[in-house]
Amino acid sequence: MPTPVPTPVPTLLVLDADPLPRLGRLTGRARVVHADENTLAGLLPTADVLLVWDFTSHAVRAAWPGGGPRPRWVHTASAGVDHLLCPELVGSDTVVTNARGIFDRPVAEYVAALVLAIAKDLPRTLDLQRQRTWRHREARRLAGTRACVVGAGPIGRTIARTLKALEVTSAVVGRVPRTGIHGPDDLDRLMSRADWVIAAAPLTEQTRGMFDARRFGVMQPSAHFVNVGRGQLVVEDALVEALSKRWIAGAALDVFATEPLAPESPLWRAPGLIVSPHMSGDTVGWRDELGAQFVEQYERWAAGRSLVNVVDKKRGYVPGH
């Protein structure tokens, strides 16, 4: 009787970030190899699967065009995929998946917290407390205000549902109009009527720089802008000008064109701007959730089952929003 030939164990290449993902469930089912920005290009031809655990890195986009085989599947532990897509990856047969579903509720809660904090003037309350100054003011009533949520994916829709609980009426704008979702042609009209303009769109060639001087000029002087999507959605100099000239009342940014935000950036000093360090989706235990999501995906892949959260590489996001 012939000796059975052992089935080769797939090689899983991980683009590392600290702390490392917990992959204990894959022991014996994957040969795990770790890479950083310097070693990724040399290891890519050896991998069957690439886990982009360091989703702040652009190393995949730089390394992918090299020679040799490429992984059959790439998973990024993030909602956005703009950091890894390049023409060679987009044109390949490699399947790309993302972490859709992990960040929806946390980001929506963060947006609700920002909207409440701004309406109730909490930043100024904290400043006055530090100054030991007693200054009575009148806060804004949130119920009955209007929001324009730009981005009709799971995060944008969850933001709209969460704001509805606060009696904020939300209009959601997506790539194409459909039931309950407005199309791009409605954006200026909805922004001009909104008290809160909330950016939660993916970064694509169509959305890059969409919030520019013209768009901030469309907004009401009493309105506030919030970005929890991608930093490159916003022309940051135009936002600084809009705030400085009081075209809009204020803004809150959790994402930036370049991160971390440089100490000399004028955004730190822009009047009425709340700056947070890309943390809206990061709640206690979020990394464990990301790791568990990938392990479940790997088990589907190893069993020959269809993967979920498959990105349309040409569009730059998971379709079906």
Side-chain angles (χ1 to χ4, degrees), residues 71-238:
R72 293 172 281 163
W73 166 38
V74 175
H75 177 83
T76 180
S78 61
V81 296
D82 51 277
H83 58 290
L84 57 89
L85 292 183
C86 61
E88 292 79 5
L89 176 52
V90 170
S92 73
D93 293 332
T94 296
V95 175
V96 175
T97 59
N98 72 354
R100 183 185 188 191
I102 298 293
F103 302 106
D104 306 356
R105 175 56 57 184
V107 172
E109 291 176 354
Y110 199 87
V111 169
L114 286 172
V115 168
L116 279 166
I118 293 168
K120 303 309 176 184
D121 203 22
L122 292 185
R124 192 182 309 180
T125 295
L126 295 174
D127 286 342
L128 292 170
Q129 179 181 346
R130 282 188 285 269
Q131 300 168 23
R132 302 185 183 185
T133 300
W134 181 281
R135 184 180 301 161
H136 181 269
R137 289 107 60 217
E138 293 179 345
R140 187 176 185 179
R141 186 190 296 270
L142 196 56
T145 60
R146 295 177 176 178
C148 174
V149 181
V150 185
I155 291 176
R157 297 197 305 270
T158 304
I159 289 171
R161 288 195 300 269
T162 303
L163 292 179
K164 184 178 180 181
L166 299 172
E167 298 186 39
V168 177
T169 301
S170 295
V172 181
V173 179
R175 187 180 65 87
V176 294
R178 55 193 184 277
T179 303
I181 304 295
H182 295 268
D185 291 345
D186 292 332
L187 179 56
D188 287 356
R189 175 179 61 82
L190 293 170
M191 285 182 61
S192 70
R193 302 169 56 194
D195 301 288
W196 315 97
V197 175
I198 300 162
L203 179 62
T204 67
E205 288 308 308
Q206 290 71 40
T207 62
R208 186 182 301 273
M210 67 183 298
F211 295 101
D212 54 12
R214 188 189 69 78
R215 283 258 159 77
F216 291 126
V218 166
M219 293 173 60
Q220 300 182 81
S222 60
H224 287 76
F225 175 74
V226 177
N227 187 14
V228 289
R230 306 298 286 173
Q232 294 89 340
L233 300 178
V234 178
V235 178
E236 292 176 344
D237 289 344

